[in-house]
Amino acid sequence: QFYYVQQPEKRDRTRILKGVVIIATMLLGLALAHSPERKTAVFTFEGNGISYVDAAFLTNQLRNELSDLGAFSVVRFQHSGWCATDACRAEVGKFIGVQKIIGGSVSKVRNQFTVSAWILDVQTGQLTSVDDYEFKGTFEELRRSGLKSLAYRLAEMEPQKPAPLLSAARSIKKK
């Protein structure tokens, strides 16, 4: 059997084409609005008073927090400290195709952690941000909540506050 498909009239084709263009423009705008602005590598933080494994673990957690915020497009790159100058780091950044590099160190004295973080602009080779984040608590608490706070600071974003409690539920017994 043969089916004959009637061609749409010129007016209908123009309307369909305009609709496709409008939808494509909207989708492109949404994609650009939600795309991270900075392609960034996070170098493994140095450990002072903690092991290399713990420092690498915290670095991975920070990468995840930064990625979840959406302010950075985080590139996975393993760096083990062989490049210690800003100029060298900028060259590595250019080689791997990022605009920013985040790095630093994690220090521990008793139950006090200090995370020193910096952001390097690959194009200029200059540090654009240096931040010390002090945290008192356990390693697990630092991993769970401290790094999220640091990620917000590095992204220059305000932490989202939980929705206010509208009413407290109480059970009232009737006599």
Side-chain angles (χ1 to χ4, degrees):
Q1 290 184 12
F2 292 101
Y3 295 97
Y4 177 72
V5 178
Q6 185 177 7
Q7 292 290 326
E9 293 182 23
K10 186 175 182 175
R11 218 173 352 152
D12 293 336
R13 284 188 295 208
T14 303
R15 195 169 1 139
I16 291 170
L17 186 59
K18 282 181 183 177
V20 169
V21 168
I22 289 171
I23 291 171
T25 304
M26 288 173 33
L27 290 175
L28 179 62
L30 283 174
L32 291 175
H34 293 293
S35 67
E37 63 184 56
R38 302 175 271 193
K39 196 171 180 185
T40 304
V42 180
F43 282 8
T44 304
F45 280 38
E46 296 175 29
N48 301 314
I50 65 171
S51 70
Y52 174 80
V53 172
D54 286 345
F57 182 75
L58 291 173
T59 301
N60 281 331
Q61 184 68 34
L62 181 61
R63 279 185 189 111
N64 293 340
E65 296 293 348
L66 289 167
S67 184
D68 289 348
L69 288 179
F72 298 96
S73 174
V74 179
V75 174
R76 303 274 175 195
F77 180 76
Q78 191 65 29
H79 175 267
S80 58
W82 49 265
C83 189
T85 66
D86 292 341
C88 180
R89 292 177 185 131
E91 289 302 315
V92 171
K94 289 175 187 173
F95 180 74
I96 61 175
V98 297
Q99 287 80 39
K100 306 274 184 195
I101 295 174
I102 296 174
S105 64
V106 181
S107 303
K108 180 184 179 197
V109 177
R110 292 185 209 47
N111 65 339
Q112 176 85 26
F113 290 90
T114 301
V115 182
S116 298
W118 46 259
I119 300 176
L120 177 80
D121 184 302
V122 170
Q123 193 67 28
T124 65
Q126 301 293 312
L127 293 177
T128 59
S129 176
V130 177
D131 198 2
D132 287 335
Y133 178 76
E134 294 187 0
F135 184 84
K136 193 170 198 166
T138 66
F139 181 86
E140 184 61 25
E141 291 168 334
L142 173 64
R143 184 191 70 77
R144 274 189 282 121
S145 62
L147 293 177
K148 184 180 285 291
S149 297
L150 178 60
Y152 275 106
R153 286 171 63 166
L154 290 171
E156 299 176 352
M157 296 172 65
E158 290 292 321
Q160 293 181 351
K161 296 178 178 141
L165 183 62
L166 297 178
S167 64
R170 277 193 253 184
S171 64
I172 301 173
K173 293 184 179 180
K174 292 186 179 181
K175 295 182 181 180

